[in-house]
Amino acid sequence: MNCATIDATETASRWGRQLTRNISSLKDQQFDVLIVGGGSFGACAAWEAVLRGYSVALIEANDFGSGTSANSFKFLHGGIRYLQHLDLRRLWSSCKERSAMLRIAPHLVKPLQIAMPTYGHGLRGKEFLGAGFLAYDLLTVGKNRGIYASRKRIPPAQFMGRNEVLDRFGFVNPTQLTGAAVFSDAQMYHPPRLVFSFVQSAISKGACVHNYVQAKSFIRKSNRIMGVLAQDRLTGESFEIRSKIVLNAGGPWSERLFRDSEGRDIPDAGVYSRDTCFVIDAATDEQYAVALQGSSIDTGAVIDRGARHLFVVPWRGKRLIGVWHILYDKSPDDIQVSEDELCRFLDEINGVMRGEKIERDQIRMVNAGLVPFGASDDTGQELDFGKKSHLVDSARVHGLEGLITLIGVRHTMARGDSVKAMKIVDKKLRRSGSTPDSSKLLLLGGDVDDFRALKNRIPSTLEGQGSVDLRSELVALYGSGVDKFLKDLELRDLLRRVESADITEAQIKLAVRDEQAVTLGDVVFRRTPLAAAGNPGEPVLSSCARIMSDLLGWTQLRAEKEVQSVIARFPTAAHSGRVSEPEIESLVDA
Ligand SMILES: Cc1cc2nc3c(=O)[nH]c(=O)nc-3n(C[C@H](O)[C@H](O)[C@H](O)COP(=O)(O)OP(=O)(O)OC[C@H]3O[C@@H](n4cnc5c(N)ncnc54)[C@H](O)[C@@H]3O)c2cc1C
């Protein structure tokens, strides 16, 4: 099974299609498929749809990947935990998706080993966990098929001795510790960039994609959805987008769009968990994440009952800790993590760490988002309650043709669930012929033969000065797209660090010129991870805003507002910070 290779000419022409804003392209035609929402699910769906030869539009109300997808814990799960439930179907589908991402986006996804400390000889002992991990390895023997770079292959389960565990992770409880069983999952380098690479790949094959365009309501004629009434949030202009099929992939906002427009509900989709994790300033072993057995908190509100695992994960030289699940009935626009909750989460993690206490002021970033806690079958016909994405064909459920809803439950499943959604589209549009297998097709940027050689082509002047190895970061974020920085004269001249920052001027220029970045947040949270693990400092943000001002003609007031809106995202001594940036309208008027 070979990943489809892309020849150099094709790659160049695909990169040539830039993400420039041309709203009239949305108005001028009837699309086969219009996707509402540019999170992980919408982006994957756009890629699936163009691969089938459909004319495709995607609109995103904010920035690509700025919703739940930007707030994730960054794992692409291989499904090992489903072994516990003996749910082999989910185990295999999760594993298949993890392998697909390692294959098609090898620059943005890498394996990460997870050490699970073992105690005694019972259910938490090496023998029991080892047998489980071995069973997982046997059940997933084909998981590395088509993944050629050795560093991108999922290694088999291993064991670690007690002393090594204590040396590597000083915070693990030593009482009755026997060592650790080690399994692997995959970690996304930067989830919004992975979302964006699906968007870019879709554009490279002709999709018409715009951020800051919001679907306000569906256009219905009799019992058929014909498109949406949309609004360009940068200008306020309203217009119609016509399409044979609308795929509502608005994440936790999907239901509200349907309800507001149609006055009806999507059955059983309405229970959400607010998942939360946070980044703390503290070095950790870069090679391993650690799973610690938490204790039950929020009695009655915590979905995963009993002592569930909390994970301490290395990310950008810091530690990412989570995930907490709490049933949440407020709007996705109103997601907050209260100070009380944050302190309880801290108490819980501190309660299971030994010899180390995480202080509140070590928290650099809080991520939270709504994830559905419900399920449907694969055809969208029968809904039941579980932990799968909601795929709803409104023709079957509401007697309304032309509308499909896909509310994703795990970033991991975005590609696979999009394939399922497209199967429904194929039937409706009576498509025949072969379908490219996107689990084997490299995304734009993914065609890297030799990561080290690619890194060595980047000027060594980018080394040092900052906390991140910028040459490795460029390779991880852009993959073969690094060529663009080296060959495009405008960008090559700007391939230098913004003073004391882990970003180059060339990245800012590229984001604004070719990647539809409109705000400072678009650049520092999503096109690059400069601020994704916490505040890089006001001087750095101001320098980036100055560069964007030169490119976009911002006033001084706008630049200041942009910096403040980014800063509002970070925790203060008394507040966990905003989960997203302020509405775009409050910035564009400045
Ligand atoms: C704390 C946390 C940790 C997590 N960890 C993991 C993990 O480790 N691994 C994993 O696989 N999953 C994880 N998840 C789940 C994962 O993040 C989500 O399942 C996934 O991101 C959902 O993607 P989505 O595209 O459905 O939704 P979103 O990312 O929310 O995208 C929906 C998009 O639609 C847009 N939109 C909404 N309404 C409209 C409209 N009317 N017009 C136009 N656009 C609209 C929104 O702006 C948004 O960008 C985690 C989630 C959280 C919150």
Side-chain angles (χ1 to χ4, degrees):
M1 183 172 66
N2 255 319
C3 249
T5 43
I6 299 170
D7 71 38
T9 343
E10 196 202 342
T11 303
S13 78
R14 289 175 80 201
W15 279 111
R17 285 186 198 247
Q18 296 170 355
L19 234 171
T20 42
R21 210 170 169 81
N22 174 16
I23 294 291
S24 61
S25 59
L26 287 169
K27 306 175 199 163
D28 295 345
Q29 53 185 310
Q30 183 193 34
F31 294 95
D32 293 324
V33 186
L34 164 65
I35 294 153
V36 175
S40 52
F41 282 71
C44 285
W47 178 229
E48 285 303 324
V50 285
L51 286 176
R52 284 164 170 73
Y54 292 132
S55 60
V56 177
L58 181 150
I59 54 170
E60 162 54 53
N62 295 293
D63 188 27
F64 308 114
S66 62
T68 328
S69 301
N71 283 286
S72 113
F73 203 50
K74 295 144 201 40
F75 272 119
L76 293 167
H77 302 286
I80 199 164
R81 75 193 202 91
Y82 301 130
L83 198 57
Q84 222 177 317
H85 309 259
L86 292 178
D87 188 345
L88 296 188
R89 214 170 129 217
R90 281 174 79 198
L91 180 152
W92 281 317
S93 57
S94 224
C95 181
K96 178 181 168 197
E97 292 311 318
R98 180 185 65 186
S99 299
M101 292 295 188
L102 283 161
R103 236 180 348 249
I104 67 178
H107 52 313
L108 277 159
V109 183
K110 69 166 179 31
L112 179 66
Q113 292 186 289
I114 302 168
M116 198 167 259
T118 50
Y119 294 92
H121 298 284
L123 291 181
R124 296 178 68 197
K126 256 187 192 170
E127 301 80 358
F128 183 78
L129 281 174
F133 290 0
L134 184 67
Y136 177 82
D137 282 342
L138 289 173
L139 285 164
T140 57
V141 274
K143 58 183 172 286
N144 286 318
R145 210 168 290 151
I147 302 171
Y148 296 109
S150 58
R151 282 187 306 158
K152 301 291 169 177
R153 295 166 75 87
I154 296 286
Q158 287 160 25
F159 293 99
M160 211 183 261
R162 176 186 155 89
N163 290 343
E164 188 179 350
V165 173
L166 292 174
D167 280 353
R168 285 185 181 273
F169 326 109
F171 50 81
V172 165
N173 184 358
T175 313
Q176 291 194 343
L177 178 79
T178 54
V182 181
F183 71 99
S184 292
D185 242 330
Q187 189 183 39
M188 297 178 255
Y189 189 82
H190 183 42
R193 193 76 213 181
L194 184 58
V195 170
F196 191 69
S197 66
F198 276 93
V199 165
Q200 268 185 317
S201 300
I203 288 169
S204 76
K205 295 243 178 227
C208 178
V209 178
H210 286 85
N211 57 357
Y212 297 108
V213 175
Q214 183 169 13
K216 302 298 269 187
S217 60
F218 296 112
I219 302 168
R220 178 156 58 85
K221 214 170 185 183
S222 168
N223 65 344
R224 177 173 284 278
I225 297 297
M226 313 287 288
V228 302
L229 179 64
Q231 186 176 41
D232 180 351
R233 296 185 66 193
L234 302 186
T235 62
E237 185 196 3
S238 294
F239 55 94
E240 290 187 353
I241 309 174
R242 288 171 299 116
S243 183
K244 292 175 191 160
I245 305 284
V246 176
L247 178 68
N248 178 1
W253 290 270
S254 302
E255 278 184 87
R256 194 177 58 188
L257 176 62
F258 184 71
R259 194 183 307 122
D260 289 354
S261 184
E262 293 303 308
R264 285 185 277 176
D265 285 321
I266 294 172
D268 291 341
V271 186
Y272 287 82
S273 155
R274 191 214 53 205
D275 287 6
T276 308
C277 55
F278 52 75
V279 180
I280 65 157
D281 225 353
T284 188
D285 192 309
E286 284 297 313
Q287 229 184 311
Y288 294 92
V290 189
L292 299 174
Q293 192 118 47
S295 60
S296 196
I297 55 165
D298 290 314
T299 317
V302 178
I303 291 171
D304 226 347
R305 294 179 311 279
R308 66 198 184 284
H309 281 102
L310 292 172
F311 292 83
V312 179
V313 181
W315 193 60
R316 300 191 68 69
K318 300 189 168 72
R319 288 183 199 165
L320 182 60
I321 301 181
V323 173
W324 285 272
H325 314 273
I326 291 180
L327 287 175
Y328 203 73
D329 58 7
K330 296 195 186 124
S331 145
D333 289 331
D334 191 27
I335 302 174
Q336 288 181 17
V337 181
S338 72
E339 194 53 29
D340 271 4
E341 284 172 319
L342 207 51
C343 290
R344 272 185 289 150
F345 297 159
L346 267 183
D347 284 349
E348 184 181 10
I349 188 75
N350 280 327
V352 292
M353 291 177 94
R354 291 292 175 274
E356 199 183 305
K357 184 167 183 251
I358 303 169
E359 301 292 346
R360 169 66 178 77
D361 64 6
Q362 280 176 270
I363 298 183
R364 292 283 168 266
M365 184 69 138
V366 176
N367 292 111
L370 297 190
V371 175
F373 190 55
S376 78
D377 72 345
D378 293 348
T379 64
Q381 195 169 4
E382 280 188 28
L383 298 164
D384 65 297
F385 203 72
K387 272 191 170 181
K388 281 166 66 184
S389 300
H390 295 286
L391 179 57
V392 180
D393 177 0
S394 274
R396 291 172 183 272
V397 174
H398 303 105
L400 197 55
E401 267 302 342
L403 177 67
I404 297 164
T405 302
L406 175 59
I407 310 177
V409 73
R410 285 275 163 260
H411 195 147
T412 310
M413 299 310 295
R415 191 210 65 88
D417 288 345
S418 297
V419 171
K420 289 173 187 164
M422 281 307 133
K423 283 187 178 157
I424 302 178
V425 174
D426 287 346
K427 271 195 194 147
K428 290 186 184 300
L429 298 185
R430 298 202 168 82
R431 180 179 177 277
S432 56
S434 65
T435 302
D437 180 355
S438 64
S439 75
K440 297 176 196 160
L441 278 175
L442 293 169
L443 292 180
L444 210 56
D447 52 332
V448 180
D449 288 333
D450 183 341
F451 284 92
R452 200 181 304 265
L454 183 61
K455 179 180 166 183
N456 288 338
R457 289 176 50 211
I458 301 171
S460 56
T461 44
L462 284 184
E463 271 173 4
Q465 296 167 45
S467 55
V468 167
D469 169 3
L470 253 192
R471 291 203 299 167
S472 299
E473 173 136 315
L474 290 178
V475 170
L477 288 176
Y478 305 94
S480 61
V482 158
D483 264 340
K484 203 165 176 174
F485 290 108
L486 302 175
K487 290 185 181 154
D488 181 320
L489 293 183
E490 260 188 342
L491 297 178
R492 205 175 61 190
D493 286 350
L494 296 172
L495 207 50
R496 51 176 183 252
R497 267 183 203 265
V498 174
E499 201 186 339
S500 313
D502 293 324
I503 188 171
T504 62
E505 288 184 41
Q507 288 171 278
I508 301 176
K509 170 98 185 183
L510 179 81
V512 170
R513 191 190 72 183
D514 298 356
E515 298 183 343
Q516 272 187 35
V518 173
T519 70
L520 182 62
D522 296 345
V523 171
V524 302
F525 290 124
R526 291 175 288 277
R527 299 304 175 278
T528 77
L530 177 70
N535 191 349
E538 195 161 342
V540 165
L541 293 172
S542 297
S543 299
C544 295
R546 260 196 306 279
I547 295 167
M548 289 190 76
S549 296
D550 289 344
L551 295 167
L552 291 164
W554 286 348
T555 60
Q556 174 84 12
L557 177 62
R558 166 94 190 245
E560 281 163 15
K561 272 193 164 190
E562 292 278 350
V563 171
Q564 289 317 314
S565 80
V566 166
I567 286 177
R569 180 76 185 78
F570 306 119
T572 61
H575 187 253
S576 63
R578 295 178 59 111
V579 163
S580 54
E581 296 112 82
E583 300 284 293
I584 183 77
E585 288 80 359
S586 68
L587 293 170
V588 288
D589 287 338

